[in-house]
Amino acid sequence: MNIIEYFNTSIGSCLIVILIAVDYLRRYNTDNFQQKLLIVALAAIFTSAIFDFTGFALERIPGERVNTTLYYIWSIYLIARNCCYYFGLIFIDYFAHGNTARSKRFIKIVVVLMILYTITILLNLKYGFYFYVSRDNMYMGGNLYILQIFFSYLPILLALIDITLAPKHIKRTQILLIIFFIILTALGAALDIILRSTNLIWPCITGAVLYIYFFIIRSASKIDSLTGIGNRNYFYDYINTLSNQSTKQDYAFIKIDLKRLGEINSIFGHLVGDKALRDITAIIKGCIRYTDIAVRYGGDEFIIITTAENDIKRIIDRINNSIADQNKNNIRPYKLTINYSYNIYITNSGWEIQDFLTQLNSKMIKRK
């Protein structure tokens, strides 16, 4: 492959990565942890692609000084490439599970692995067991080249195991997205191993990142920017799915209204009112299962959707007890209070979903 083709694939991928990063950083994102993970992964892709192209370009230049420089360039490339795959794995894990604590534990393990891998790369500069640079300045695999490949592409296997062990935890759309991401990444890895050319990795990796980024942007349109849970768009997409369900199943809808939000805004200001909305969101999320749905329907109204066999009274009691605990501890200058109503919707029963929602709203008005 000539240098122009190499330039088009590696540098072209770098430009796409830059555009994704710039666009992502310009967007308001309530999930800062997800944002940081993706930016680190993008930075690793950019760094490894740049050093890959630089190494390829220098291989055409004879000289002992270039030979020494190539050792350092390929070493940085391998470290950056591993960062790309390992932080990509953490991003996929967080994307699937949405558990910050779990992902932070994962990061600690990855950091230790990367430190150990970096040490072996530094030792390789002397012993050449992963790779060495020939007298004509060509990258050559060492005796332990396969071991280095194993360390680099282990995250692809771990990602497959991750989604296999938690099928109930991941939504179908997420599973398809993750599988597509893994297939593209694995394709690039396979081409690297078979052809001994890293150049074809970058279109595969960039395509995978671009695909998952489009999914993030599409999903963001259904997330409430203030509270981080689903918004009305997400709610209507979900209930439309329920209304088209061909089998009968009972779902409980719990509507919650944060009382006196206008009063909080008037006395303490809208920033404090926003805190109150985030507080009630955190309480709701802490009182439901990961399979339940929680959305901000609008203003001070929230809706929880759960399967009917889940104890509705227990959920409401948990929420009320959590609110009471927060009010008792006086951690805010305001007191949280709520109204609520609930109703059961049966799919494929001939009951129009809009009629059901009207009845649910009427129940709330009566309770008020």
Side-chain angles (χ1 to χ4, degrees):
M1 182 174 289
N2 62 48
I3 195 167
I4 300 300
E5 292 173 333
Y6 222 97
F7 179 87
N8 288 337
T9 52
S10 57
I11 302 303
S13 296
C14 286
L15 292 175
I16 293 174
V17 165
I18 291 171
L19 291 173
I20 292 173
V22 170
D23 185 67
Y24 195 38
L25 290 172
R26 284 176 60 248
R27 293 177 181 272
Y28 176 73
N29 182 19
T30 55
D31 195 340
N32 292 323
F33 186 73
Q34 176 183 271
Q35 188 182 66
K36 290 175 182 177
L37 283 179
L38 185 58
I39 292 300
V40 170
L42 290 174
I45 294 172
F46 178 84
T47 303
S48 51
I50 286 292
F51 276 87
D52 184 25
F53 172 74
T54 304
F56 181 83
L58 289 179
E59 280 183 339
R60 273 63 187 159
I61 303 173
E64 187 175 338
R65 182 175 296 179
V66 172
N67 187 279
T68 303
T69 303
L70 280 170
Y71 269 102
Y72 292 107
I73 286 175
W74 290 126
S75 296
I76 295 171
Y77 160 72
L78 290 175
I79 294 170
R81 191 179 70 176
N82 266 27
C83 281
C84 162
Y85 283 119
Y86 279 93
F87 276 92
L89 170 64
I90 296 170
F91 179 82
I92 287 295
D93 181 80
Y94 180 72
F95 185 75
H97 296 272
N99 188 326
T100 305
R102 170 192 169 94
S103 295
K104 285 183 177 179
R105 289 194 297 270
F106 221 149
I107 288 174
K108 291 178 181 178
I109 296 172
V110 165
V111 168
V112 171
L113 291 174
M114 285 305 305
I115 290 172
L116 293 175
Y117 181 73
T118 300
I119 291 171
T120 63
I121 289 293
L122 294 175
L123 291 173
N124 178 81
L125 292 173
K126 181 176 181 180
Y127 299 106
F129 45 79
Y130 284 158
F131 75 90
Y132 64 93
V133 181
S134 64
R135 290 184 178 180
D136 55 350
N137 291 340
M138 298 298 293
Y139 178 93
M140 307 294 292
N143 294 330
L144 298 181
Y145 173 76
I146 296 300
L147 181 62
Q148 182 268 318
I149 289 292
F150 172 78
F151 282 130
S152 293
Y153 299 128
L154 178 63
I156 299 174
L157 175 62
L158 294 178
L160 282 171
I161 295 172
D162 189 30
I163 63 171
T164 302
L165 294 180
K168 293 181 180 179
H169 196 90
I170 307 175
K171 297 176 183 178
R172 183 174 176 273
T173 52
Q174 290 177 310
I175 291 176
L176 293 175
L177 177 71
I178 293 169
I179 289 175
F180 184 80
F181 182 89
I182 291 171
I183 289 173
L184 274 180
T185 307
L187 177 62
L191 291 172
D192 176 29
I193 295 170
I194 296 169
L195 303 178
R196 292 286 184 106
S197 173
T198 57
N199 184 55
L200 296 175
I201 291 178
W202 307 121
C204 295
I205 291 180
T206 307
V209 171
L210 195 59
Y211 182 73
I212 204 168
Y213 181 64
F214 284 148
F215 185 88
I216 291 170
I217 298 304
R218 189 166 65 249
S219 299
S221 67
K222 299 177 184 178
I223 299 297
D224 178 57
S225 60
L226 178 63
T227 60
I229 60 175
N231 58 18
R232 187 178 293 214
N233 291 333
Y234 177 84
F235 174 73
Y236 279 115
D237 280 352
Y238 186 81
I239 62 173
N240 284 335
T241 301
L242 293 186
S243 65
N244 293 323
Q245 195 167 305
S246 58
T247 57
K248 284 194 174 183
Q249 188 172 356
D250 297 354
Y251 288 89
F253 282 60
I254 306 171
K255 190 170 186 180
I256 294 175
D257 182 357
L258 180 60
K259 294 167 65 176
R260 293 198 283 273
L261 178 61
E263 186 179 315
I264 294 173
N265 286 331
S266 299
I267 297 173
F268 303 106
H270 286 276
L271 291 178
V272 176
D274 290 347
K275 279 188 178 179
L277 289 168
R278 293 192 189 101
D279 283 348
I280 194 64
T281 300
I283 288 171
I284 289 172
K285 288 172 67 176
C287 295
I288 62 176
R289 304 172 302 180
Y290 68 83
T291 52
D292 297 332
I293 301 296
V295 299
R296 184 185 176 199
Y297 188 67
D300 56 6
E301 294 179 333
F302 298 82
I303 293 179
I304 299 169
I305 307 173
T306 182
T307 49
E309 64 264 20
N310 193 19
D311 191 341
I312 298 171
K313 186 177 184 301
R314 186 168 66 246
I315 292 176
I316 294 171
D317 285 345
R318 284 177 180 172
I319 292 172
N320 280 324
N321 289 337
S322 296
I323 289 172
D325 288 341
Q326 175 164 318
N327 291 339
K328 182 180 178 181
N329 293 329
N330 293 318
I331 61 175
R332 299 286 192 242
Y334 50 79
K335 303 293 184 183
L336 294 176
T337 53
I338 61 170
N339 288 313
Y340 66 87
S341 66
Y342 59 87
N343 205 355
I344 305 296
Y345 177 72
I346 304 172
T347 59
N348 196 29
S349 62
W351 193 359
E352 290 292 334
I353 191 73
Q354 292 300 331
D355 294 338
F356 168 79
L357 294 174
T358 300
Q359 188 180 99
L360 179 66
N361 191 55
S362 297
K363 283 191 171 186
M364 174 68 85
I365 293 171
K366 286 180 181 179
R367 289 187 69 89
K368 286 183 179 180

